[in-house]
Amino acid sequence: MKNTVLTFAKAKEEGVKLSMLTSYDYSMARLVDEAGINSILVGDSLGNVMLGYEDTTPVTMEDMIHHTAAVARGAKNALIVGDMPFMSYQTSVYDAVVNAGRLIKEGHANAVKLEGGKEVCPQIKAIVDAGIPVCAHIGLTPQSINAFGGHKVQGKSEEAAKKLIEDALAVQAAGAFAVVIEAVPAKLAALITSKLDIVTIGIGAGAGCDGQVLVYQDMLGMFSDFSPKFVRRYAEIGDIMRAAFKKYDEEVKAGVFPAEEHGYKIDDDVIARLY
Ligand code: KIV
């Protein structure tokens, strides 16, 4: 069954937890989808884990559309959320609606995600008014890395915690169907979750959120540039891949691969006539 925003609303009502993982291409989206994950986020984290940038700020709309469309071809049941890259919505409400529309029309996403609280509520409202579901994202918002001065836990002081609660309520009032809460103390994220009617999706925000999201390279041990404290490694696929690549390298160099069964046949007399 296809997951939709209604699935999310029902899960909140019934207290059923939701799973979300990132994907950036067709093959991975198929695997994630087949595992029954509720939602695939085509995150602008692709700037880090797929494109090798230091942060997400260089990611473009073209990058996001290209990868979201590939994911959409691979996922049948997961709700596909396309991330709006840096400066695709901050510049104006008009830009926000046009670019959200492109992620739906050209990327075939089911919803879009954008970072920020109160300050992006006019954009959220306008995108929702255009018939596009919006997932908000508060707490540590990586597109603001230069303003934060690094990847830091958010909402630890009373003032910062109050602002996060206000932001969460504001994005809900603007029409968001869900909100990602990143790198926020677990008790605060649980409190925010209890105050909202919409789903909270945590990443580094404890078990009290309505759902969880992780970057797949982090949870599979495929990305070692940095490893946030909140990641659980469900497998060490990076080690498995490295070992397989090494074996392939050895076998190619030893002439062991390809073996006879990997080749195509031709009649010997055809070959003989070529000499
Ligand atoms: O871009 C992304 O993958 C994200 C998640 C970390 C929530 O925004």
Side-chain angles (χ1 to χ4, degrees):
M1 274 268 284
K2 177 75 183 173
N3 285 270
T4 68
V5 291
L6 298 181
T7 319
F8 274 51
K10 191 158 178 269
K12 177 83 181 190
E13 249 174 62
E14 296 175 354
V16 173
K17 298 270 188 189
L18 290 161
S19 56
M20 179 186 258
L21 272 179
T22 63
S23 293
Y24 315 95
D25 65 34
Y26 172 82
S27 306
M28 192 55 66
R30 272 195 79 160
L31 290 171
V32 170
D33 196 63
E34 284 163 10
I37 299 297
N38 293 106
S39 177
I40 294 180
L41 171 64
V42 190
D44 64 351
S45 51
L46 78 84
N48 303 107
V49 294
M50 301 296 287
L51 304 179
Y53 297 134
E54 264 182 32
D55 58 55
T56 58
T57 56
V59 176
T60 64
M61 272 305 295
E62 306 312 319
D63 293 333
M64 291 311 307
I65 289 168
H66 181 73
H67 287 268
T68 305
V71 166
R73 289 191 286 273
K76 300 279 168 285
N77 294 325
L79 176 87
I80 299 161
V81 181
D83 225 350
M84 299 197 64
F86 185 54
M87 289 298 135
S88 68
Y89 58 95
Q90 291 93 340
T91 43
S92 70
V93 169
Y94 176 82
D95 286 349
V97 176
V98 169
N99 286 320
R102 290 192 69 198
L103 280 172
I104 304 292
K105 276 175 85 87
E106 299 170 52
H108 306 287
N110 306 123
V112 300
K113 178 170 85 57
L114 53 78
E115 297 182 5
K118 275 185 188 166
E119 69 284 5
V120 290
C121 280
Q123 282 90 331
I124 294 176
K125 186 175 179 322
I127 297 170
V128 171
D129 285 348
I132 300 171
V134 176
C135 176
H137 182 159
I138 61 170
L140 175 59
T141 45
Q143 291 173 15
S144 306
I145 187 83
N146 292 311
F148 288 140
H151 289 98
K152 296 188 189 342
V153 178
Q154 301 296 307
K156 285 184 90 163
S157 68
E158 185 181 337
E159 194 191 353
K162 277 187 181 152
K163 180 175 179 332
L164 273 183
I165 295 172
E166 283 165 14
D167 280 340
L169 290 168
V171 297
Q172 170 174 273
F177 75 96
V179 54
V180 167
I181 304 180
E182 179 165 352
V184 165
K187 285 186 179 165
L188 175 58
L191 178 65
I192 293 172
T193 300
S194 72
K195 286 179 180 285
L196 293 186
D197 298 322
I198 60 170
V199 160
T200 60
I201 307 281
I203 175 162
C209 293
D210 299 308
Q212 297 293 324
V213 59
L214 283 177
V215 171
Y216 84 78
Q217 284 91 341
D218 288 342
M219 55 94 78
L220 294 182
M222 292 171 65
F223 184 74
S224 50
D225 288 9
F226 54 86
S227 184
K229 168 186 159 79
F230 54 73
V231 171
R232 176 175 287 168
R233 293 268 189 109
Y234 284 83
E236 294 297 340
I237 303 293
D239 290 346
I240 294 172
M241 289 171 80
R242 218 173 286 110
F245 298 150
K246 195 163 181 301
K247 193 161 178 13
Y248 167 75
D249 178 65
E250 286 164 3
E251 290 194 351
V252 167
K253 287 174 180 161
V256 176
F257 177 82
E260 212 181 325
E261 69 267 25
H262 303 118
Y264 301 100
K265 299 224 180 309
I266 185 170
D267 286 344
D268 284 347
D269 53 345
V270 173
I271 290 290
R273 283 200 294 279
L274 301 176
Y275 281 97

mmCIF file of all heavy atoms in Angstrom, residues 20-22 24 41-49 56 64 83 113 115 137 140 142-143 180-182 201-203 213-215 218 230, ligand 1:
data_model
loop_
_atom_site.group_PDB
_atom_site.id
_atom_site.type_symbol
_atom_site.label_atom_id
_atom_site.label_comp_id
_atom_site.label_asym_id
_atom_site.label_seq_id
_atom_site.Cartn_x
_atom_site.Cartn_y
_atom_site.Cartn_z
ATOM 1 N N MET A 20 11.668 6.354 8.246
ATOM 2 C CA MET A 20 12.081 7.104 7.054
ATOM 3 C C MET A 20 13.581 6.876 6.879
ATOM 4 O O MET A 20 14.326 6.831 7.858
ATOM 5 C CB MET A 20 11.788 8.599 7.265
ATOM 6 C CG MET A 20 12.175 9.502 6.122
ATOM 7 S SD MET A 20 11.947 11.263 6.573
ATOM 8 C CE MET A 20 10.434 11.687 5.776
ATOM 9 N N LEU A 21 14.008 6.685 5.651
ATOM 10 C CA LEU A 21 15.439 6.576 5.336
ATOM 11 C C LEU A 21 15.715 7.419 4.113
ATOM 12 O O LEU A 21 14.819 7.622 3.285
ATOM 13 C CB LEU A 21 15.819 5.124 5.006
ATOM 14 C CG LEU A 21 16.223 4.197 6.139
ATOM 15 C CD1 LEU A 21 16.522 2.810 5.586
ATOM 16 C CD2 LEU A 21 17.443 4.716 6.906
ATOM 17 N N THR A 22 16.943 7.842 3.960
ATOM 18 C CA THR A 22 17.284 8.555 2.729
ATOM 19 C C THR A 22 17.553 7.551 1.612
ATOM 20 O O THR A 22 17.865 6.385 1.867
ATOM 21 C CB THR A 22 18.553 9.416 2.898
ATOM 22 O OG1 THR A 22 19.661 8.563 3.187
ATOM 23 C CG2 THR A 22 18.380 10.449 3.985
ATOM 24 N N TYR A 24 19.008 8.052 -2.792
ATOM 25 C CA TYR A 24 19.341 9.060 -3.803
ATOM 26 C C TYR A 24 19.337 8.478 -5.213
ATOM 27 O O TYR A 24 19.623 9.183 -6.166
ATOM 28 C CB TYR A 24 20.723 9.659 -3.504
ATOM 29 C CG TYR A 24 20.903 10.004 -2.036
ATOM 30 C CD1 TYR A 24 21.522 9.106 -1.166
ATOM 31 C CD2 TYR A 24 20.417 11.199 -1.525
ATOM 32 C CE1 TYR A 24 21.659 9.399 0.183
ATOM 33 C CE2 TYR A 24 20.556 11.499 -0.178
ATOM 34 C CZ TYR A 24 21.176 10.592 0.676
ATOM 35 O OH TYR A 24 21.309 10.880 2.007
ATOM 36 N N LEU A 41 13.352 9.871 2.112
ATOM 37 C CA LEU A 41 13.751 11.271 1.979
ATOM 38 C C LEU A 41 14.904 11.351 0.993
ATOM 39 O O LEU A 41 15.947 10.723 1.202
ATOM 40 C CB LEU A 41 14.200 11.819 3.345
ATOM 41 C CG LEU A 41 14.854 13.207 3.313
ATOM 42 C CD1 LEU A 41 13.856 14.272 2.850
ATOM 43 C CD2 LEU A 41 15.425 13.561 4.682
ATOM 44 N N VAL A 42 14.673 12.074 -0.097
ATOM 45 C CA VAL A 42 15.797 12.372 -0.993
ATOM 46 C C VAL A 42 16.411 13.643 -0.416
ATOM 47 O O VAL A 42 16.005 14.760 -0.746
ATOM 48 C CB VAL A 42 15.340 12.557 -2.453
ATOM 49 C CG1 VAL A 42 16.561 12.620 -3.375
ATOM 50 C CG2 VAL A 42 14.402 11.429 -2.872
ATOM 51 N N GLY A 43 17.298 13.435 0.545
ATOM 52 C CA GLY A 43 17.825 14.555 1.323
ATOM 53 C C GLY A 43 18.899 15.314 0.552
ATOM 54 O O GLY A 43 19.585 14.748 -0.302
ATOM 55 N N ASP A 44 19.040 16.595 0.912
ATOM 56 C CA ASP A 44 20.157 17.326 0.302
ATOM 57 C C ASP A 44 21.476 16.888 0.943
ATOM 58 O O ASP A 44 22.554 17.342 0.541
ATOM 59 C CB ASP A 44 19.953 18.844 0.356
ATOM 60 C CG ASP A 44 19.924 19.394 1.770
ATOM 61 O OD1 ASP A 44 19.892 18.598 2.729
ATOM 62 O OD2 ASP A 44 19.922 20.631 1.922
ATOM 63 N N SER A 45 21.390 15.943 1.898
ATOM 64 C CA SER A 45 22.592 15.258 2.396
ATOM 65 C C SER A 45 23.303 14.570 1.238
ATOM 66 O O SER A 45 24.447 14.149 1.387
ATOM 67 C CB SER A 45 22.219 14.234 3.471
ATOM 68 O OG SER A 45 21.179 13.386 3.018
ATOM 69 N N LEU A 46 22.650 14.464 0.094
ATOM 70 C CA LEU A 46 23.322 13.904 -1.073
ATOM 71 C C LEU A 46 24.560 14.739 -1.410
ATOM 72 O O LEU A 46 25.518 14.221 -2.004
ATOM 73 C CB LEU A 46 22.373 13.773 -2.270
ATOM 74 C CG LEU A 46 21.987 14.970 -3.137
ATOM 75 C CD1 LEU A 46 23.010 15.250 -4.221
ATOM 76 C CD2 LEU A 46 20.646 14.696 -3.785
ATOM 77 N N GLY A 47 24.540 16.016 -0.994
ATOM 78 C CA GLY A 47 25.721 16.862 -1.203
ATOM 79 C C GLY A 47 26.942 16.276 -0.495
ATOM 80 O O GLY A 47 28.049 16.293 -1.040
ATOM 81 N N ASN A 48 26.731 15.737 0.726
ATOM 82 C CA ASN A 48 27.831 15.127 1.473
ATOM 83 C C ASN A 48 28.124 13.715 0.979
ATOM 84 O O ASN A 48 29.237 13.412 0.578
ATOM 85 C CB ASN A 48 27.479 15.028 2.972
ATOM 86 C CG ASN A 48 27.125 16.355 3.590
ATOM 87 O OD1 ASN A 48 25.960 16.615 3.885
ATOM 88 N ND2 ASN A 48 28.098 17.205 3.777
ATOM 89 N N VAL A 49 27.079 12.863 1.035
ATOM 90 C CA VAL A 49 27.325 11.423 0.888
ATOM 91 C C VAL A 49 27.412 10.944 -0.558
ATOM 92 O O VAL A 49 27.988 9.897 -0.822
ATOM 93 C CB VAL A 49 26.264 10.594 1.658
ATOM 94 C CG1 VAL A 49 26.379 10.814 3.145
ATOM 95 C CG2 VAL A 49 24.855 10.884 1.179
ATOM 96 N N THR A 56 25.940 20.972 2.766
ATOM 97 C CA THR A 56 24.847 20.836 1.783
ATOM 98 C C THR A 56 24.602 22.107 0.967
ATOM 99 O O THR A 56 23.781 22.088 0.043
ATOM 100 C CB THR A 56 23.532 20.459 2.509
ATOM 101 O OG1 THR A 56 23.225 21.468 3.476
ATOM 102 C CG2 THR A 56 23.646 19.111 3.182
ATOM 103 N N MET A 64 18.765 17.943 -7.098
ATOM 104 C CA MET A 64 17.651 17.346 -6.341
ATOM 105 C C MET A 64 16.621 16.707 -7.271
ATOM 106 O O MET A 64 16.105 15.624 -6.982
ATOM 107 C CB MET A 64 16.966 18.402 -5.445
ATOM 108 C CG MET A 64 17.800 18.888 -4.277
ATOM 109 S SD MET A 64 18.562 17.593 -3.267
ATOM 110 C CE MET A 64 17.171 16.569 -2.862
ATOM 111 N N ASP A 83 13.914 17.011 -0.881
ATOM 112 C CA ASP A 83 14.444 18.119 -0.084
ATOM 113 C C ASP A 83 14.629 19.361 -0.957
ATOM 114 O O ASP A 83 15.135 19.269 -2.075
ATOM 115 C CB ASP A 83 15.814 17.714 0.470
ATOM 116 C CG ASP A 83 15.982 18.070 1.930
ATOM 117 O OD1 ASP A 83 15.134 18.790 2.476
ATOM 118 O OD2 ASP A 83 16.977 17.600 2.526
ATOM 119 N N LYS A 113 10.505 18.896 1.535
ATOM 120 C CA LYS A 113 10.970 19.265 2.877
ATOM 121 C C LYS A 113 11.786 20.549 2.769
ATOM 122 O O LYS A 113 12.529 20.727 1.811
ATOM 123 C CB LYS A 113 11.828 18.160 3.489
ATOM 124 C CG LYS A 113 12.381 18.505 4.884
ATOM 125 C CD LYS A 113 13.019 17.326 5.559
ATOM 126 C CE LYS A 113 14.449 17.104 5.187
ATOM 127 N NZ LYS A 113 15.346 18.247 5.438
ATOM 128 N N GLU A 115 13.949 23.582 5.418
ATOM 129 C CA GLU A 115 14.498 23.822 6.749
ATOM 130 C C GLU A 115 14.075 25.183 7.295
ATOM 131 O O GLU A 115 14.038 26.167 6.551
ATOM 132 C CB GLU A 115 16.037 23.761 6.689
ATOM 133 C CG GLU A 115 16.565 22.398 6.269
ATOM 134 C CD GLU A 115 18.092 22.332 6.247
ATOM 135 O OE1 GLU A 115 18.750 23.318 6.640
ATOM 136 O OE2 GLU A 115 18.612 21.276 5.853
ATOM 137 N N HIS A 137 11.546 21.194 8.970
ATOM 138 C CA HIS A 137 12.792 20.645 9.542
ATOM 139 C C HIS A 137 13.353 21.698 10.501
ATOM 140 O O HIS A 137 13.733 22.786 10.063
ATOM 141 C CB HIS A 137 13.757 20.355 8.385
ATOM 142 C CG HIS A 137 15.064 19.735 8.797
ATOM 143 N ND1 HIS A 137 15.848 19.033 7.900
ATOM 144 C CD2 HIS A 137 15.750 19.703 9.968
ATOM 145 C CE1 HIS A 137 16.943 18.600 8.509
ATOM 146 N NE2 HIS A 137 16.906 18.997 9.765
ATOM 147 N N LEU A 140 18.804 21.353 14.419
ATOM 148 C CA LEU A 140 20.009 21.547 13.603
ATOM 149 C C LEU A 140 19.599 21.484 12.138
ATOM 150 O O LEU A 140 19.166 20.429 11.651
ATOM 151 C CB LEU A 140 21.037 20.462 13.916
ATOM 152 C CG LEU A 140 22.295 20.472 13.037
ATOM 153 C CD1 LEU A 140 23.042 21.793 13.132
ATOM 154 C CD2 LEU A 140 23.223 19.341 13.413
ATOM 155 N N PRO A 142 21.074 21.787 8.617
ATOM 156 C CA PRO A 142 22.437 21.822 8.048
ATOM 157 C C PRO A 142 22.682 22.922 7.017
ATOM 158 O O PRO A 142 23.832 23.327 6.832
ATOM 159 C CB PRO A 142 22.582 20.433 7.413
ATOM 160 C CG PRO A 142 21.652 19.565 8.195
ATOM 161 C CD PRO A 142 20.478 20.442 8.545
ATOM 162 N N GLN A 143 21.639 23.424 6.363
ATOM 163 C CA GLN A 143 21.869 24.507 5.394
ATOM 164 C C GLN A 143 22.350 25.790 6.092
ATOM 165 O O GLN A 143 22.898 26.687 5.461
ATOM 166 C CB GLN A 143 20.599 24.798 4.583
ATOM 167 C CG GLN A 143 20.244 23.671 3.621
ATOM 168 C CD GLN A 143 18.910 23.853 2.932
ATOM 169 O OE1 GLN A 143 18.337 24.938 2.930
ATOM 170 N NE2 GLN A 143 18.392 22.775 2.357
ATOM 171 N N VAL A 180 10.689 17.325 10.752
ATOM 172 C CA VAL A 180 11.921 16.648 11.172
ATOM 173 C C VAL A 180 12.535 17.472 12.302
ATOM 174 O O VAL A 180 12.607 18.703 12.213
ATOM 175 C CB VAL A 180 12.907 16.531 9.982
ATOM 176 C CG1 VAL A 180 14.302 16.127 10.458
ATOM 177 C CG2 VAL A 180 12.387 15.531 8.946
ATOM 178 N N ILE A 181 12.953 16.777 13.357
ATOM 179 C CA ILE A 181 13.626 17.450 14.476
ATOM 180 C C ILE A 181 15.026 16.856 14.575
ATOM 181 O O ILE A 181 15.184 15.662 14.836
ATOM 182 C CB ILE A 181 12.867 17.233 15.809
ATOM 183 C CG1 ILE A 181 11.406 17.694 15.687
ATOM 184 C CG2 ILE A 181 13.563 17.949 16.946
ATOM 185 C CD1 ILE A 181 10.586 17.507 16.963
ATOM 186 N N GLU A 182 16.034 17.693 14.325
ATOM 187 C CA GLU A 182 17.408 17.160 14.253
ATOM 188 C C GLU A 182 18.284 17.688 15.387
ATOM 189 O O GLU A 182 18.314 18.901 15.668
ATOM 190 C CB GLU A 182 18.020 17.551 12.891
ATOM 191 C CG GLU A 182 19.459 17.064 12.750
ATOM 192 C CD GLU A 182 19.989 17.094 11.319
ATOM 193 O OE1 GLU A 182 19.214 17.357 10.374
ATOM 194 O OE2 GLU A 182 21.200 16.831 11.154
ATOM 195 N N ILE A 201 9.514 13.640 13.146
ATOM 196 C CA ILE A 201 10.472 12.621 12.691
ATOM 197 C C ILE A 201 11.824 13.019 13.269
ATOM 198 O O ILE A 201 12.359 14.073 12.919
ATOM 199 C CB ILE A 201 10.586 12.593 11.141
ATOM 200 C CG1 ILE A 201 9.216 12.449 10.471
ATOM 201 C CG2 ILE A 201 11.562 11.514 10.683
ATOM 202 C CD1 ILE A 201 8.652 11.067 10.466
ATOM 203 N N GLY A 202 12.352 12.186 14.138
ATOM 204 C CA GLY A 202 13.580 12.553 14.828
ATOM 205 C C GLY A 202 14.836 12.025 14.146
ATOM 206 O O GLY A 202 14.830 10.961 13.527
ATOM 207 N N ILE A 203 15.895 12.807 14.266
ATOM 208 C CA ILE A 203 17.242 12.332 13.905
ATOM 209 C C ILE A 203 18.162 12.953 14.951
ATOM 210 O O ILE A 203 18.322 14.176 15.013
ATOM 211 C CB ILE A 203 17.617 12.682 12.444
ATOM 212 C CG1 ILE A 203 19.075 12.277 12.158
ATOM 213 C CG2 ILE A 203 17.337 14.125 12.042
ATOM 214 C CD1 ILE A 203 19.427 12.164 10.675
ATOM 215 N N VAL A 213 14.414 9.109 11.214
ATOM 216 C CA VAL A 213 15.043 9.121 9.896
ATOM 217 C C VAL A 213 16.554 8.983 10.082
ATOM 218 O O VAL A 213 17.110 9.493 11.057
ATOM 219 C CB VAL A 213 14.698 10.409 9.097
ATOM 220 C CG1 VAL A 213 15.112 11.685 9.795
ATOM 221 C CG2 VAL A 213 15.313 10.368 7.689
ATOM 222 N N LEU A 214 17.188 8.274 9.174
ATOM 223 C CA LEU A 214 18.649 8.200 9.141
ATOM 224 C C LEU A 214 19.115 8.283 7.693
ATOM 225 O O LEU A 214 18.361 7.947 6.767
ATOM 226 C CB LEU A 214 19.159 6.880 9.743
ATOM 227 C CG LEU A 214 19.168 6.746 11.268
ATOM 228 C CD1 LEU A 214 19.642 5.345 11.676
ATOM 229 C CD2 LEU A 214 20.040 7.805 11.948
ATOM 230 N N VAL A 215 20.329 8.730 7.524
ATOM 231 C CA VAL A 215 20.984 8.712 6.214
ATOM 232 C C VAL A 215 21.493 7.282 6.012
ATOM 233 O O VAL A 215 22.202 6.750 6.869
ATOM 234 C CB VAL A 215 22.140 9.733 6.185
ATOM 235 C CG1 VAL A 215 22.986 9.583 4.924
ATOM 236 C CG2 VAL A 215 21.591 11.156 6.313
ATOM 237 N N ASP A 218 25.104 6.281 6.609
ATOM 238 C CA ASP A 218 25.508 6.288 8.018
ATOM 239 C C ASP A 218 25.126 4.970 8.686
ATOM 240 O O ASP A 218 25.939 4.363 9.384
ATOM 241 C CB ASP A 218 24.814 7.436 8.779
ATOM 242 C CG ASP A 218 25.362 8.808 8.404
ATOM 243 O OD1 ASP A 218 26.467 8.868 7.847
ATOM 244 O OD2 ASP A 218 24.658 9.808 8.668
ATOM 245 N N PHE A 230 24.368 10.053 17.055
ATOM 246 C CA PHE A 230 23.010 9.488 17.063
ATOM 247 C C PHE A 230 22.804 8.331 16.080
ATOM 248 O O PHE A 230 21.726 7.764 16.010
ATOM 249 C CB PHE A 230 21.965 10.585 16.785
ATOM 250 C CG PHE A 230 22.197 11.388 15.524
ATOM 251 C CD1 PHE A 230 21.975 10.834 14.275
ATOM 252 C CD2 PHE A 230 22.622 12.706 15.607
ATOM 253 C CE1 PHE A 230 22.176 11.581 13.124
ATOM 254 C CE2 PHE A 230 22.825 13.469 14.459
ATOM 255 C CZ PHE A 230 22.592 12.897 13.207
HETATM 256 O O1 KIV B 1 19.231 15.893 3.962
HETATM 257 C C1 KIV B 1 18.930 15.005 4.776
HETATM 258 O O2 KIV B 1 19.253 13.814 4.621
HETATM 259 C C2 KIV B 1 18.182 15.411 5.951
HETATM 260 C C3 KIV B 1 18.075 14.428 7.065
HETATM 261 C C4 KIV B 1 19.346 14.342 7.793
HETATM 262 C C5 KIV B 1 16.923 14.710 7.930
HETATM 263 O O3 KIV B 1 17.723 16.507 6.018
#
